[in-house]
Amino acid sequence: KILITGALGQIGSELTTELRKIYGANNVIASSRRVKEGHEKLIESGPFEILNINDAKGISEVVRKHDVNTIINLAAILSAVGEQHPEQCWDINMNGLYNILEVAREESCMVYTPSSIAAFGPSTPKDKTPQDTIQRPNTMYGVTKVAGELLCDYYYKKFGVDTRGVRFPGLISYETLPGGGTTDYAVHIYYDALKNKRYTSFIDKGTKMDMMYMPDALDAIIQLMEADSSKLIHRNAFNVSAMSFDPEEIAASIKKVIPEFEIDYEVDPVRQSIADSWPNSLDDTAAREEWGWNPKYDLDSMTKDMLEKLKIKLGL
Ligand code: VAH
């Protein structure tokens, strides 16, 4: 059985639905620190638990109650919120992960924890960032992503816990809004394009970042989880990417569908400095070679699908 923490978040809400389709609703336990409105359908579609990953006892109770053997740990504080609340970011991202790994060690569970392009910093090579390279991030979120990668590798080597993860780029989706990241501009731009035919970006022109459409992100999680353990040379965590663009390029892509769309800029210095510390593009050869990573969406096909689905969701 699979336990998903952070199941009401941007990734968790779609992953829960997808995994319930594949493995059956009762085999996928969704959990969240608190109930959030707008997720009633998901909560009613299968087992749901209120679970705070800083409550170690609570985690092992849920794991035992549902006979969980795979934990997908998506509960986290993201980059921008993490800079406003660094202590909470460390507490949830690190102490929470530690609790998950300890329960996984005691109950022999596989653990899937995503890392992020935020695990790289200003001294990392920016273009086609290698799988193995310098990782000295200067955000608290980035520190917890690097420390999380190392802790997951440690639990694999020291205790044989089957830990795996990918370094996600910015994720774009229309089901659930992202939870306070730096790449969120690339989601809000589609909502504003449909509502106002214009978007004021908090990230400056020319700021290239790796991005991925949610269907590809879900494939990355499922493919890696199902991959043959003996084939994995890298585990925590694989570079994965699907595209890399800056605000002007995504604006140009939207203009192909909404010709009168306009973008302007009010740069947020905090999130701009976070974005500037991240790579421009990743080399994801290791993921392609070790578990067949192969994204399907590029910028224009994502834009087309995103605008179509959002129009329906927003009732436009
Ligand atoms: C964030 N969307 O912006 C997340 C992610 C790489 C970006 O980690 O913090």
Side-chain angles (χ1 to χ4, degrees):
K1 299 256 181 95
I2 300 169
L3 169 64
I4 301 175
T5 68
L8 302 185
Q10 181 191 13
I11 304 173
S13 58
E14 297 203 46
L15 183 67
T16 300
T17 306
E18 185 66 19
L19 293 183
R20 283 180 170 168
K21 267 189 218 143
I22 299 170
Y23 301 110
N26 285 331
N27 293 319
V28 182
I29 295 85
S31 74
S32 176
R33 193 170 29 163
R34 55 186 168 72
V35 173
K36 283 188 238 171
E37 69 291 331
H39 293 284
E40 291 73 18
K41 215 156 50 74
L42 182 149
I43 291 170
E44 280 141 29
S45 68
F48 177 79
E49 298 280 358
I50 293 289
L51 178 61
N52 182 325
I53 63 172
N54 289 107
D55 166 15
K57 216 165 109 343
I59 300 170
S60 64
E61 276 163 10
V62 168
V63 166
R64 290 209 192 101
K65 171 182 171 186
H66 294 279
D67 193 21
V68 167
N69 66 6
T70 301
I71 305 173
I72 304 178
N73 182 41
L74 302 177
I77 298 290
L78 295 182
S79 61
V81 173
E83 284 310 288
Q84 290 159 353
H85 307 285
E87 187 188 339
Q88 188 196 25
C89 185
W90 177 269
D91 191 24
I92 291 176
N93 294 9
M94 291 317 298
N95 295 331
L97 174 60
Y98 178 78
N99 292 338
I100 293 281
L101 289 167
E102 271 297 284
V103 171
R105 180 174 64 79
E106 288 153 9
E107 308 291 337
S108 314
C109 300
M110 175 208 267
V111 177
Y112 180 103
T113 301
S115 179
S116 160
I117 57 173
F120 298 115
S123 55
T124 303
K126 284 201 174 303
D127 297 306
K128 283 288 168 224
T129 300
Q131 174 65 44
D132 301 307
T133 185
I134 306 162
Q135 292 181 256
R136 297 191 65 78
N138 56 7
T139 63
M140 177 55 97
Y141 175 70
V143 166
T144 70
K145 289 291 120 181
V146 176
E149 291 184 9
L150 298 174
L151 191 61
C152 288
D153 272 345
Y154 180 84
Y155 267 73
Y156 173 65
K157 288 199 176 52
K158 179 94 175 180
F159 303 117
V161 177
D162 184 345
T163 56
R164 311 178 184 195
V166 297
R167 290 171 185 148
F168 273 132
L171 299 183
I172 291 153
S173 64
Y174 54 84
E175 287 292 349
T176 305
L177 282 169
T182 299
T183 57
D184 298 7
Y185 92 88
V187 176
H188 298 314
I189 191 168
Y190 287 111
Y191 282 81
D192 286 13
L194 285 170
K195 288 181 197 164
N196 319 319
K197 296 199 184 338
R198 68 172 310 108
Y199 176 66
T200 300
S201 174
F202 58 76
I203 295 293
D204 207 356
K205 59 176 73 172
T207 312
K208 281 182 91 69
M209 285 191 272
D210 281 88
M211 300 281 183
M212 185 185 296
Y213 198 28
M214 187 58 80
D216 281 329
L218 300 182
D219 281 348
I221 295 174
I222 295 164
Q223 277 173 273
L224 177 54
M225 254 173 50
E226 292 183 345
D228 175 350
S229 184
S230 65
K231 292 247 179 30
L232 301 181
I233 300 161
H234 297 83
R235 279 177 168 272
N236 305 284
F238 288 91
N239 286 0
V240 286
S241 182
M243 60 189 95
S244 163
F245 57 75
D246 80 331
E248 289 188 317
E249 289 165 320
I250 185 172
S253 173
I254 291 171
K255 270 197 179 102
K256 290 177 191 168
V257 182
I258 307 175
E260 61 275 34
F261 175 71
E262 289 298 327
I263 185 168
D264 56 34
Y265 298 88
E266 262 172 50
V267 175
D268 164 14
V270 173
R271 284 180 287 187
Q272 184 62 40
S273 71
I274 294 173
D276 288 342
S277 74
W278 290 350
N280 298 325
S281 61
L282 290 189
D283 173 354
D284 58 5
T285 309
R288 292 169 189 269
E289 284 173 354
E290 296 176 36
W291 48 274
W293 165 240
N294 178 24
K296 304 204 176 26
Y297 284 88
D298 64 12
L299 178 52
D300 285 340
S301 52
M302 170 173 74
T303 295
K304 187 173 172 301
D305 194 62
M306 206 39 202
L307 290 174
E308 269 166 23
K309 299 286 181 19
L310 266 185
K311 218 180 272 175
I312 297 164
K313 176 181 173 181
L314 301 174
L316 296 174

